[in-house]
Every structure is written in C-alpha cells, then in structure tokens.
C-alpha cells in the first residue's frame, strides 16, 4: 500500500508541477523516488507539524496542490486545529496523509498509536476522510482525493495483511465496495482499512453466508447505500482498527438508527489506551482485534439475538 502511495504521488507530481509534497521529517526511503523525479516539489518542514499545515494552506492559496505527509498520530491529531481553521474552513485543496494508523507503530507506545483519527477528522466540516484497505484502494483514493479539489484526510494502516482486490476497483467518492456476496437477508460485514482482509477471511470460513463491504470513503459516504445494506441484513458487523467511539462503526450505527434500525456490532478499540508496548500482533490481541477474539465477539453477539 505504501508503494502504491509512492507511485501515485510521483505520477501526480510528474503530471502536474503544482503538486508539492511536505513532510515533517518522515518517510525518507518512501520518498527516494519522488526526490529523484521531482526534487523541486519536495519540502521537508522538519518536526514542526503545525507550521507545516500553515505552509500547505499558504501554498494552496497561491495555486499549488499540497500533499502533507506524516504519522497519523501527528497528521491529523497534533494539527487538528490547523487543519480545521487554516485548510478546511476555506475549502483549500490540501491532501493530508496519515501513515501508520491504528497500532502500526506499536513499540513506540501510545504517543504513536492512532485510534481516534477518524473520529476527530470526520467531525470537521468540509474535510473528506478516506481509508483504503490495500494497494488497489490506495490508488483509487489518491486519484479521487486529487480530482476532488477538496480538503482530504487519507488514513494509511497496516499495508501487508493481504490484498482485498484483484484489480483496481471502480467507484465514485462515497461508495462502498462489495467484495463478497452473501445470503439474502443474512449478515453483512462492513469494514475499513486494515480489518477488511480480516472481515473477508472470517466471512469465507467462519460465516460463509455473510456479505462483505469495504469502506474506502468514510466521508462523504453514500447514506442510501448504508440504508439499503441495513434493510437487507439480519445484523450488521463493522470492523475497524480504530476506536468504536466516533469511527466508521459509529457512522454506520448513526445512519441505521435514523433510517433502517438493525442490530449493529461495532468491532474496534474499546475506550482505553494500550496497557503495554509490544509488537503489532501483540497489540491486536491485547485489544481484541485478532481473528480469534473477533470470532468470539461475533459468536457472542449472534448467540444473543432475539
């Protein structure tokens, strides 16, 4: 997924000299090709993320197309006020890339773990929120973000959990992508980012009759599509490597409660920080996001259906 991002970035910059990449002292190896191909379009703003967003806003006002890269614990969390007031308030076409979302930077502790970024960013007016699941969705999201001329936060999670799509999907902004058809009136799994692959694996073995949807576009989202899924499902299970409060699962539950009441199980991070440092695999287990724990949550939820 990071390779797909790098390629999309280089392709955009080569095609449009107004594209400018700003980074806060991150991603050196990732941007080797960009610096070789477009050295004049690269700015290392240093460890000063708030100032970097201000620079991007100024560049956007003068006709440039800034792409701001950082770890998702810093972009957007550390710079939320600047994104809100400097960029989104005035509809500036700045793309924010938050890399390492969720528990990717596991050993670095809570300061580098980002499980609240969707909740924070989707509440800001005029700010789009994208969350690709694999390399194909990354390419789709990068193209959509650039063509939209909108303020966009693009969330990048774990990139090596397996492909979801065999080829580049075709979808307009806001659409969910159905990656597995299930039984009519059965379970529907709605997942985003790193847990789409997990949802698909569970649907192919644990609950073969479940349909699976990927959500690369969290905001804006096609509410009518969510409503239709809810109306045609016995229950909906959402999957995300993010807090269950304010994330994609909350969004689905909000829409369902207003337009198509259905039982919704939100699988994600509970209201707590990590207790220990450890590997990415360990932290998924600690937070109940490994496959075994998810299947146990799902079984308990289904056994309590009335």
């Amino acid at each position: 997924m990071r390779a797909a991002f790098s390629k999309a970035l280089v392709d955009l910059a080569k095609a449009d000299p107004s594209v400018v990449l700003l980074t806060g002292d991150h991603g050196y190896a990732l941007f080797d090709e960009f610096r070789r191909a477009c050295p004049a379009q690269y700015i290392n703003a240093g460890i000063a993320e708030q100032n970097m967003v201000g620079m991007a806003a100024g560049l956007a006002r003068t006709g440039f197309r800034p792409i701001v890269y950082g770890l998702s614990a810093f972009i957007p969390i550390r710079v939320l006020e600047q994104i809100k007031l400097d960029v989104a308030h005035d509809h500036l076409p700045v793309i924010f890339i938050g890399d390492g979302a969720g528990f990717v930077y596991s050993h670095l502790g809570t300061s580098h773990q980002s499980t609240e970024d969707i909740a924070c960013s989707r509440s800001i007016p005029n700010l789009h929120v994208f969350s690709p699941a694999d390399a194909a969705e990354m390419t789709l999201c990068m193209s959509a973000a650039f063509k939209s001329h909108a303020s966009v936060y693009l969330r990048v999670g774990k990139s090596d959990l397996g492909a979801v799509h065999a080829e580049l999907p075709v979808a307009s902004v806001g659409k969910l992508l159905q990656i597995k058809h299930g039984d009519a009136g059965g379970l529907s799994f709605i997942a985003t980012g790193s847990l789409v692959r997990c949802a698909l694996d569970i649907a192919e073995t644990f609950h073969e009759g479940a349909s699976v949807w990927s959500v690369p576009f969290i905001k804006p989202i096609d509410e009518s599509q969510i409503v239709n899924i809810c109306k045609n499902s016995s229950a909906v299970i959402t999957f995300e490597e993010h807090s269950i409060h304010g994330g994609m699962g909350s969004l689905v539950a909000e829409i369902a409660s207003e337009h198509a009441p259905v039982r919704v199980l939100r699988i994600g991070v509970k209201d707590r920080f990590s207790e220990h440092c450890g590997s990415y695999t360990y932290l998924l287990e600690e937070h109940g996001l490994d496959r075994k724990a998810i299947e146990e949550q799902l079984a308990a939820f289904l056994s309590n259906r009335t």
Side-chain angles (χ1 to χ4, degrees):
M1 189 154 57
R2 296 176 90 240
F5 162 64
S6 179
K7 182 181 186 305
L9 189 60
V10 172
D11 290 346
L12 287 173
K14 284 182 175 179
D16 187 343
S18 71
V19 172
V20 179
L21 171 66
L22 296 91
T23 177
D25 227 19
H26 290 117
Y28 290 116
L30 179 63
F31 300 131
D32 282 349
E33 178 58 28
F34 188 95
R35 292 200 301 271
R36 282 193 292 267
C38 311
Q41 293 164 257
Y42 175 83
I43 300 173
N44 184 352
I47 305 175
E49 290 88 354
Q50 292 95 332
N51 185 57
M52 179 168 63
V53 175
M55 292 170 62
L59 287 165
R61 288 184 183 279
T62 57
F64 287 94
R65 298 296 307 276
I67 298 175
V68 178
Y69 174 91
L71 306 191
S72 62
F74 310 140
I75 306 290
I77 299 303
R78 178 174 289 174
V79 297
L80 204 63
E81 179 185 1
Q82 286 72 30
I83 291 175
K84 171 186 172 181
L85 298 179
D86 294 354
V87 177
H89 181 275
D90 292 339
H91 301 269
L92 296 180
V94 179
I95 299 172
F96 298 97
I97 308 294
D99 199 357
F103 298 113
V104 176
Y105 289 99
S106 52
H107 290 95
L108 297 179
T110 297
S111 64
H112 284 61
Q113 295 165 14
S114 183
T115 59
E116 62 287 306
D117 50 306
I118 294 174
C120 292
S121 56
R122 83 175 180 93
S123 63
I124 295 178
N126 307 330
L127 182 64
H128 293 187
V129 182
F130 297 169
S131 176
D134 66 359
E137 287 191 10
M138 171 61 79
T139 301
L140 172 68
C141 286
M142 281 293 291
S143 176
F146 190 74
K147 291 177 181 177
S148 71
H149 288 267
S151 308
V152 178
Y153 168 54
L154 195 155
R155 181 183 210 252
V156 184
K158 194 71 172 174
S159 61
D160 57 357
L161 300 181
V164 173
H165 303 276
E167 57 187 21
L168 183 65
V170 177
S172 55
V173 172
K175 293 293 185 181
L176 285 71
L177 303 175
Q178 186 165 17
I179 55 178
K180 180 182 179 296
H181 292 272
D183 298 336
L187 294 178
S188 289
F189 293 173
I190 302 178
T192 193
S194 62
L195 288 190
V196 175
R197 182 67 252 177
C198 179
L200 184 57
D201 290 342
I202 291 174
E204 290 177 340
T205 57
F206 190 68
H207 278 286
E208 296 182 10
S211 60
V212 183
W213 301 79
S214 178
V215 187
F217 306 112
I218 292 175
K219 181 186 175 187
I221 197 166
D222 186 340
E223 291 196 9
S224 64
Q225 197 175 9
I226 297 287
V227 170
N228 187 60
I229 293 170
C230 292
K231 284 183 175 179
N232 292 283
S233 302
S234 60
V236 171
I237 295 85
T238 64
F239 299 71
E240 61 191 318
E241 193 179 322
H242 180 276
S243 173
I244 60 171
H245 301 293
M248 184 274 294
S250 291
L251 173 60
V252 170
E254 290 161 12
I255 295 170
S257 68
E258 292 183 356
H259 304 289
V262 66
R263 290 193 71 204
V264 178
L265 171 63
R266 293 169 298 154
I267 291 175
V269 181
K270 304 302 188 290
D271 188 23
R272 70 176 188 77
F273 295 113
S274 300
E275 293 184 6
H276 306 287
C277 286
S279 68
Y280 178 72
T281 300
Y282 162 76
L283 282 170
L284 291 182
E285 293 174 355
E286 182 190 310
H287 288 273
L289 295 181
D290 60 298
R291 179 168 173 174
K292 180 177 181 291
I294 289 175
E295 289 180 352
E296 289 174 352
Q297 292 178 66
L298 184 54
F301 172 78
L302 295 176
S303 68
N304 290 328
R305 282 194 293 180
T306 58

